[in-house]
């Protein structure tokens, strides 16, 4: 209704049956203690509703973003090496602010097993290193060799794979 348009709060004023009983004095000893208890209970209810309205924090989505960034940096580092440092600084800052995002912007979810995330990250890193090694070697062979166009394709491929294997093993 109108409260959502004005305040951004889609719920009407919270009323706890327990809080109503406490305020009326039917439960407990002193009315002042009951009043404090009722107010604290309303705060708990309101925070619970606020937490339920937030989008859940998805750790797999965050890891996918970091993986794509690693791939981006690994493939484009030979083309623009000066871009690696600002990108690294930006990613370090982003990782530091993930806690802020988790605590204030996203809904906290129940923790799950991290073994899948760790396994996929390790495998992804190995694959990116292998592909980046081949990519960088191919760029060096093509960029610094003016006679590569006159060579047979089989020897170009063989040299590329052999150079990539040597660089990868180092």
């Amino acid at each position: 209704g109108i409260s959502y348009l004005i305040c951004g709060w889609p719920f009407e004023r919270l009323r706890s049956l327990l809080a109503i009983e406490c305020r009326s004095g039917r439960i407990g000893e002193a009315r002042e203690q009951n009043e404090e208890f009722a107010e604290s209970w309303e705060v708990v209810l309101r925070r619970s509703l606020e937490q339920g309205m937030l989008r859940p924090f998805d750790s797999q989505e965050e890891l996918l973003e970091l993986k794509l960034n690693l791939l981006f940096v690994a493939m484009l580092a030979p083309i623009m090496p000066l871009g690696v440092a600002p990108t690294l600084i930006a990613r370090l800052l982003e990782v530091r602010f993930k806690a802020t995002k988790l605590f204030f912007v996203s809904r906290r979810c129940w923790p799950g097993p991290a073994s899948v995330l760790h396994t996929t990250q390790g495998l992804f890193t190995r694959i990116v290193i292998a592909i980046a090694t081949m990519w960088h070697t191919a760029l060096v062979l093509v960029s610094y060799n003016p006679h590569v166009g006159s060579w047979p394709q089989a020897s170009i491929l063989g040299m590329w794979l052999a150079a990539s294997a040597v660089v990868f093993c180092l």
Side-chain angles (χ1 to χ4, degrees):
I2 194 78
S3 65
Y4 179 70
L5 293 174
I6 295 172
C7 305
W9 183 252
F11 307 107
E12 61 183 46
R13 189 172 187 288
L14 298 174
R15 293 178 303 231
S16 167
L17 295 178
L18 182 61
I20 292 171
E21 293 291 321
C22 287
R23 283 195 179 118
S24 67
R26 286 182 257 179
I27 296 178
E29 300 137 11
R31 188 171 175 86
E32 296 83 24
Q33 291 175 346
N34 288 339
E35 190 69 32
E36 289 176 13
F37 177 74
E39 288 175 8
S40 66
W41 189 249
E42 286 180 11
V43 169
V44 169
L45 287 176
R46 184 171 179 89
R47 288 188 182 160
S48 298
L49 285 173
E50 287 172 354
Q51 189 69 218
M53 290 184 346
L54 297 175
R55 182 176 164 214
F57 185 82
D58 188 9
S59 57
Q60 291 180 344
E61 183 179 307
E62 300 295 329
L63 187 61
L64 176 64
E65 184 181 338
L66 289 174
K67 286 179 180 179
L68 290 175
N69 187 28
L70 174 66
L71 185 64
F72 171 73
V73 170
M75 296 300 144
L76 296 179
I79 297 169
M80 187 173 178
L82 293 177
V84 173
T87 305
L88 177 65
I89 291 168
R91 291 303 145 216
L92 288 174
L93 286 173
E94 181 184 1
V95 168
R96 299 291 181 238
F97 285 109
K98 294 286 183 194
T100 306
K101 180 178 179 182
L102 174 64
F103 291 136
F104 298 112
V105 180
S106 299
R107 181 179 351 148
R108 294 179 281 285
C109 300
W110 290 104
S115 59
V116 174
L117 297 176
H118 290 293
T119 305
T120 59
Q121 179 64 25
L123 180 64
F124 179 79
T125 304
R126 289 186 192 97
I127 291 171
V128 166
I129 289 172
I131 292 173
T133 303
M134 295 177 71
W135 172 251
H136 291 216
T137 308
L139 285 177
V140 168
L141 287 176
V142 170
S143 299
Y144 298 114
N145 192 350
H147 305 293
V148 76
S150 62
W151 293 354
Q153 289 183 352
S155 62
I156 294 172
L157 182 64
M159 183 183 293
W160 175 46
L161 291 176
S164 296
V166 168
V167 171
F168 185 71
C169 290
L170 292 177

